[in-house]
Amino acid sequence: MLQDTSFAIHPGQKKMIENTSYQDIGSLHSFKQDHNQFHSICENGQVTIVFYRQDIVRIIMNPFEKPSLKGSPAIVKAPDDVNVLVKEEEAEISLKTDDLVVSISKNPFRVVVSDQEGTLLVRESLKGMGLKHTGEVICYKEMDEADHFYGFGEKSGFLDKRGEKMTMWNTDVYAPHNPETDSLYQSIPYFLTVRNGKAHGIFFDNTYKSTFDLRSSTNEYSFQAEGGQMDYYVFAGPTPKDVLRQYTEITGRMPIPPKWAIGYHQSRYSYETEQEVRELAKTFLEKEIPLDVIHLDIHYMNGYRVFSFDRDRFPSPEKLIKDLKEVGIRVVPIVDPGVKEDSEYSIYQEGVNKDLFCKYIEGNIYFGDVWPGNSAFPDFTKTSTREWWGDKHLFYTDLGIEGIWNDMNEPSVFNETKTMDLKVMHDNDGDPRTHRELHNIYGLLMGQSTYEGMKKNLKGKRPFLLTRAGYSGVQRYAAVWTGDNRSFWEHLQMSLPMVMNLGVSGIPFAGPDVGGFAHDSNGELLARWTQVGAFTPYFRNHSAIGFARQEPWSYGEKYEAIIKKYIQLRYKWLPQLYTLFAEAHETGVPIVRPLMMEYPNDKNTSNLSDQFMLGSNVIIAPIMTPSTTNRVVYLPEGNWVNYWTDDVFEGGKHHMIYADLDTLPIFIKQGTAVVHGDVRQSTEYSNEKMTIHLYNSSYGTFEFSIYDDDGSSFEYQTGHFFRKIIKTECQKNTIHITMVEEGSYRPNWDLIEIEVHNAEDIQTVFVNGKMVESMKRNDNRLLISI
Ligand code: GLC
């Protein structure tokens, strides 16, 4: 308690100065090439360097023995056969590919990575890399005055992480997420640096608790981990998007989610009975507010036993799920890892009998307190456990369920340390490791087990998985929500850089609890937050037990109308979003992007935390303070069109924008286009018409596409998709539009309308070389139907 008063800063409380005594790797003793691997034996450790591609190099230092190449489960790629030119001189060795140069100075052993133009990417500082006497492996790098840092997964605070010190240790943080809150639920030990408009990245693949220190010095940063090897990858860039492509080449990309998962989700801790769920669905239908998913939180279970329904509260789940699906609503239940200790409960029995739970080295099962009380935890580091747990999801798929919500998978335990005993020994498929070493991948492996099990059980349908905890690579299995935020305006503000940095960290499918989880929301906050939610990749309204209700109609008609308008707007924008999901799946480039990703040379974008881009041409600049109808918006080079009014704003400038409660400021880059579909009650009802909104500029070309597929199977992975590639060319008073189609899938919609904005001067439009005969003019817009 005393720590919560000024006593915390009592002079006697001063922490001991951190023990920094440290031994660097020393000088090089021998160097050997073995195919595509380069081994160095140094005074105080060994280093292996491996090129994964021309533009990706991995550097591993082990202070004690030959570096292991095994890597964590984040890694999906084996090294390519890269052509490396080796040049050894007296003081230096250089390893050169088409995109990278790794220069090693021999005495002391120091590594410098540059690009093919000789531009320095990362240089070890004087301290180099080595081992602290407290046991941590650490690497020190020079920090340039111009460096800006992004990524690091799920962190509170502003977009640019320069000046921050961040720890990776998956933690259940219910207490408010503050700018000073460090570890949250995800550990993504990866970052992207932008220096003078050029980008490179580093992924530190170490599953121990790790720390990135960009604070302690102004010209040096470091990363370290409590154990294991110094094992990191350097990505050459040179653009931020290239870094994303490179990082996700190593850690994998998001599969395209089922279409329903990118619709609107409604959740509450908890909708406690079948009756309550039915009434909720009915209200959405009556009020014609689109809805794709209702979440079932822990109350649906029998005594919080996973893979069970409480038959008093939910007498006929199968019928409920079927009835809801008929009206286009899916049910997603929560599944936590803790299995109730109960000798009469089959999941517990199986886990014990088949030896699938986490255990101490002495052989006794580890128990921790979570919702069901004393519980055992599946050891997801074991393939047999992952398969067993995955198969258990038949319980849900047999009921017609296609999506799962994984929570508490840090794993969270209700005790002082908030997690499992670090001494617990994970089986790790016969290579036993402590929980201290594998804690950060527990959630990732639970995600893998759940996703793969669901995929198998759904026989060709795409599953949806939502997870709270994860490690790099989690994007292969799950969407991520940012955990227990609060109904504070500050948390709405913080959610933007969080979602943007998750995107930069290879996790495109992310979003916060819209409206705020804990604390009481209010109409104005929920309206403003729903405006943002409509444009974040994951869109779920969720709120906690004991706090004000947060359904769209909770605060009266005035707010309900605004909230409805923006949920509907989400559905209009779904084709645009779906196209961006496909792009993220193919390239790793996120759906929601910080402006720096598109404009890395523009200094005004480097720490722009209160606006974001959807794809490459749309800027969303929400109002995120109460009683506010004006805000400053930064628009980068080019001209930008106000989505609501068609007013044109000059870029490279800040503008004061008016936006009443009904308005979310949205700007589209002039000369580009966005695609809209129909407003529908749910994604279950197909789109009939696509409207292309083309924002005319007198001169210029633009190329974009509309991606579509069946929205539910994996056939898109074998070419069964549809892509319409559209090129527009504006020439004073003429527009040429060409369209080509790709892929074998044919969508339900075939009618395309083109609405040209700011088209006063346009007299002629050609589509695929043919002049359009009939066009409708509506003020300054032109309407063309094809
Ligand atoms: C955790 C989750 C929250 C959920 C609650 C009950 O706090 O983060 O979303 O509602 O547990 O399951």
Side-chain angles (χ1 to χ4, degrees):
M1 270 316 268
L2 280 175
Q3 293 299 330
D4 290 340
T5 68
S6 303
F7 181 78
I9 46 169
H10 186 291
Q13 292 283 314
K14 210 164 127 196
K15 279 196 207 139
M16 278 183 28
I17 293 169
E18 200 194 345
N19 178 1
T20 49
S21 122
Y22 156 79
Q23 184 170 51
D24 84 51
I25 188 149
S27 52
L28 178 69
H29 286 176
S30 69
F31 174 80
K32 203 172 95 213
Q33 176 170 10
D34 179 4
H35 301 290
N36 64 344
Q37 294 174 18
F38 301 89
H39 297 293
S40 300
I41 298 182
C42 304
E43 218 173 325
N44 301 313
Q46 302 187 32
V47 180
T48 300
I49 298 178
V50 188
F51 288 87
Y52 274 61
R53 291 197 328 193
Q54 308 279 4
D55 51 359
I56 304 173
V57 62
R58 177 180 180 191
I59 300 169
I60 321 165
M61 185 276 292
N62 191 311
F64 308 108
E65 55 193 16
K66 193 169 176 197
S68 158
L69 287 172
K70 193 171 167 219
S72 79
I75 309 299
V76 292
K77 188 180 164 65
D80 288 349
D81 207 0
V82 181
N83 199 7
V84 184
L85 194 74
V86 186
K87 206 163 110 195
E88 182 159 6
E89 287 167 353
E90 206 186 322
E92 214 182 85
I93 301 167
S94 79
L95 312 173
K96 203 169 171 191
T97 71
D98 285 350
D99 291 328
L100 280 173
V101 185
V102 176
S103 317
I104 302 164
S105 57
K106 295 183 180 173
N107 190 10
F109 184 95
R110 295 288 180 267
V111 183
V112 177
V113 184
S114 337
D115 68 14
Q116 82 281 31
E117 287 162 6
T119 311
L120 176 70
L121 303 182
V122 285
R123 188 207 300 272
E124 280 177 359
S125 65
L126 279 179
K127 289 190 228 154
M129 57 181 156
L131 184 69
K132 280 185 165 180
H133 287 159
T134 37
E136 295 91 353
V137 285
I138 186 162
C139 181
Y140 296 91
K141 303 275 186 211
E142 285 180 4
M143 178 152 75
D144 193 285
E145 225 180 312
D147 284 351
H148 298 279
F149 298 92
Y150 309 95
F152 301 104
E154 185 186 49
K155 294 290 173 197
S156 57
F158 289 102
L159 182 68
D160 181 359
K161 299 302 183 198
R162 190 179 174 118
E164 300 290 340
K165 188 170 173 181
M166 289 158 290
T167 308
M168 301 298 165
W169 184 251
N170 290 3
T171 312
D172 172 3
V173 185
Y174 176 72
H177 302 172
N178 288 321
E180 65 173 2
T181 310
D182 184 359
S183 298
L184 284 168
Y185 315 88
Q186 297 272 334
S187 289
I188 315 292
Y190 152 85
F191 61 95
L192 178 155
T193 307
V194 174
R195 180 185 303 153
N196 302 320
K198 267 188 160 185
H200 63 268
I202 287 183
F203 170 42
F204 178 28
D205 187 23
N206 184 313
T207 62
Y208 280 91
K209 181 186 279 183
S210 59
T211 306
F212 293 78
D213 185 356
L214 288 65
R215 177 184 294 162
S216 301
S217 160
T218 49
N219 53 15
E220 177 184 81
Y221 67 85
S222 68
F223 42 96
Q224 64 170 52
E226 273 191 357
Q229 314 183 116
M230 173 50 59
D231 181 355
Y232 69 100
Y233 298 74
V234 177
F235 307 107
T239 70
K241 289 182 189 173
D242 291 332
V243 175
L244 257 296
R245 281 185 203 105
Q246 292 150 358
Y247 170 67
T248 55
E249 181 80 21
I250 293 290
T251 60
R253 299 186 180 127
M254 168 194 67
I256 302 183
K259 263 188 193 166
W260 58 266
I262 66 171
Y264 176 70
H265 298 228
Q266 183 65 47
S267 186
R268 169 91 181 163
Y269 167 30
S270 300
Y271 295 122
E272 292 190 19
T273 63
E274 193 170 314
Q275 194 49 33
E276 196 181 356
V277 173
R278 285 185 184 276
E279 271 161 27
L280 178 79
K282 196 163 144 250
T283 314
F284 271 95
L285 295 175
E286 276 169 9
K287 291 180 175 289
E288 293 179 2
I289 301 173
L291 176 67
D292 262 272
V293 187
I294 294 176
H295 286 248
L296 296 185
D297 208 323
I298 52 175
H299 286 86
Y300 81 85
M301 292 179 269
N302 171 15
Y304 311 115
R305 287 169 186 80
V306 284
F307 309 104
S308 80
F309 264 92
D310 179 324
R311 292 285 168 165
D312 287 333
R313 292 167 183 270
F314 289 86
S316 45
E318 193 164 1
K319 179 147 191 339
L320 171 74
I321 288 152
K322 186 165 162 279
D323 290 348
L324 291 187
K325 206 183 256 178
E326 269 165 22
V327 289
I329 302 168
R330 268 145 174 110
V331 169
V332 170
I334 197 167
V335 178
D336 295 349
V339 174
K340 188 175 177 64
E341 182 215 349
D342 169 359
S343 316
E344 295 180 344
Y345 167 36
S346 68
I347 304 289
Y348 181 70
Q349 290 168 346
E350 281 179 41
V352 174
N353 293 337
K354 296 185 179 167
D355 190 19
L356 301 168
F357 290 132
C358 296
K359 296 190 303 192
Y360 284 103
I361 192 167
E362 294 81 7
N364 45 326
I365 295 178
Y366 167 80
F367 290 100
D369 185 28
V370 272
W371 306 121
N374 206 33
S375 302
F377 293 80
D379 187 357
F380 290 112
T381 68
K382 224 173 157 169
T383 306
S384 54
T385 305
R386 287 198 301 275
E387 286 173 359
W388 167 72
W389 186 263
D391 287 346
K392 284 289 140 203
H393 287 77
L394 252 186
F395 172 78
Y396 296 108
T397 48
D398 276 353
L399 293 170
I401 286 169
E402 296 167 48
I404 297 290
W405 166 19
N406 279 171
D407 187 25
M408 305 288 280
N409 50 348
E410 293 72 29
S412 169
V413 180
F414 301 150
N415 64 22
E416 283 274 298
T417 68
K418 297 184 166 196
T419 194
M420 191 179 285
D421 192 336
L422 302 187
K423 287 190 306 210
V424 163
M425 195 57 107
H426 291 287
D427 176 78
N428 199 32
D429 282 337
D431 179 18
R433 301 289 163 143
T434 58
H435 188 67
R436 190 167 82 93
E437 178 169 351
L438 301 185
H439 170 82
N440 281 342
I441 54 169
Y442 190 83
L444 170 74
L445 296 177
M446 181 182 184
Q448 179 187 358
S449 159
T450 307
Y451 183 82
E452 288 174 353
M454 288 294 286
K455 186 170 173 181
K456 187 165 137 199
N457 297 339
L458 286 173
K459 300 188 174 62
K461 269 196 199 168
R462 299 175 206 170
F464 165 68
L465 177 63
L466 177 66
T467 186
R468 193 169 73 175
Y471 180 77
S472 294
V474 67
Q475 65 272 11
R476 306 196 298 263
Y477 311 116
V480 168
W481 100 101
T482 57
D484 296 345
N485 64 359
R486 301 201 158 212
S487 301
F488 297 160
W489 288 94
E490 291 83 349
H491 280 194
L492 165 56
Q493 292 158 19
M494 200 152 74
S495 72
L496 264 57
M498 268 176 130
V499 171
M500 288 192 271
N501 272 324
L502 277 163
V504 174
S505 307
I507 304 171
F509 198 6
D513 281 344
V514 168
F517 175 66
H519 200 67
D520 295 325
S521 200
N522 62 68
E524 188 186 1
L525 178 60
L526 185 59
R528 288 300 194 191
W529 209 322
T530 307
Q531 292 174 350
V532 177
F535 289 90
T536 48
Y538 185 57
F539 185 21
R540 179 181 78 155
N541 172 323
H542 182 46
S543 60
I545 194 164
F547 295 101
R549 298 204 64 106
Q550 217 166 268
E551 291 76 25
W553 49 86
S554 301
Y555 301 101
E557 279 172 22
K558 170 175 152 197
Y559 297 109
E560 182 184 325
I562 298 171
I563 292 163
K564 177 176 172 180
K565 168 175 162 182
Y566 282 89
I567 297 175
Q568 287 180 330
L569 195 68
R570 165 75 168 205
Y571 283 76
K572 250 193 180 178
W573 279 72
L574 276 182
Q576 177 87 7
L577 276 159
Y578 199 59
T579 302
L580 291 167
F581 269 85
E583 185 188 343
H585 158 71
E586 283 161 18
T587 66
V589 175
I591 298 151
V592 155
R593 305 174 190 168
L595 273 75
M596 74 80 191
M597 188 161 267
E598 295 293 334
Y599 299 94
N601 283 302
D602 182 339
K603 290 198 168 47
N604 287 315
T605 68
S606 63
N607 202 6
L608 199 51
S609 303
D610 64 353
Q611 34 182 112
F612 61 87
M613 296 194 78
L614 191 70
S616 64
N617 63 334
V618 178
I619 288 179
I620 311 283
I623 302 266
M624 298 185 289
T625 43
S627 315
T628 306
T629 49
N630 285 282
R631 65 157 287 171
V632 172
V633 177
Y634 179 67
L635 298 172
E637 53 97 6
N639 286 329
W640 296 81
V641 185
N642 181 324
Y643 176 72
W644 304 105
T645 63
D646 280 354
D647 290 340
V648 180
F649 293 83
E650 202 184 317
K653 279 186 180 168
H654 291 85
H655 294 272
M656 180 62 92
I657 300 297
Y658 174 77
D660 58 15
L661 190 58
D662 190 41
T663 308
L664 167 74
I666 304 172
F667 298 88
I668 321 281
K669 189 156 195 183
Q670 202 177 43
T672 76
V674 295
V675 181
H676 285 358
D678 308 321
V679 172
R680 291 161 286 157
Q681 185 59 37
S682 103
T683 57
E684 205 55 18
Y685 307 99
S686 55
N687 234 342
E688 275 159 21
K689 185 181 83 197
M690 286 286 174
T691 308
I692 296 172
H693 292 269
L694 175 61
Y695 292 85
N696 174 45
S697 68
S698 331
Y699 292 97
T701 56
F702 183 60
E703 184 177 316
F704 65 104
S705 63
I706 310 177
Y707 173 89
D708 206 355
D709 60 25
D710 62 27
S712 67
S713 82
F714 284 92
E715 287 180 20
Y716 69 93
Q717 294 180 351
T718 48
H720 197 52
F721 61 82
F722 173 81
R723 182 175 274 122
K724 202 182 250 303
I725 302 166
I726 302 156
K727 277 187 209 159
T728 64
E729 194 181 341
C730 307
Q731 283 171 353
K732 207 165 162 44
N733 42 29
T734 309
I735 299 181
H736 290 271
I737 300 171
T738 46
M739 306 197 201
V740 250
E741 290 174 5
E742 254 181 20
S744 59
Y745 176 77
R746 284 292 156 266
N748 289 335
W749 51 272
D750 56 3
L751 180 66
I752 293 203
E753 275 195 350
I754 303 177
E755 199 165 327
V756 187
H757 295 242
N758 297 327
E760 298 91 337
D761 299 339
I762 303 296
Q763 278 147 21
T764 349
V765 176
F766 292 89
V767 175
N768 284 344
K770 244 180 82 189
M771 199 172 99
V772 177
E773 303 282 330
S774 72
M775 306 191 286
K776 264 197 260 153
R777 207 171 269 280
N778 185 355
D779 288 335
N780 61 348
R781 297 189 184 183
L782 263 188
L783 297 179
I784 306 156
S785 294
I786 329 175

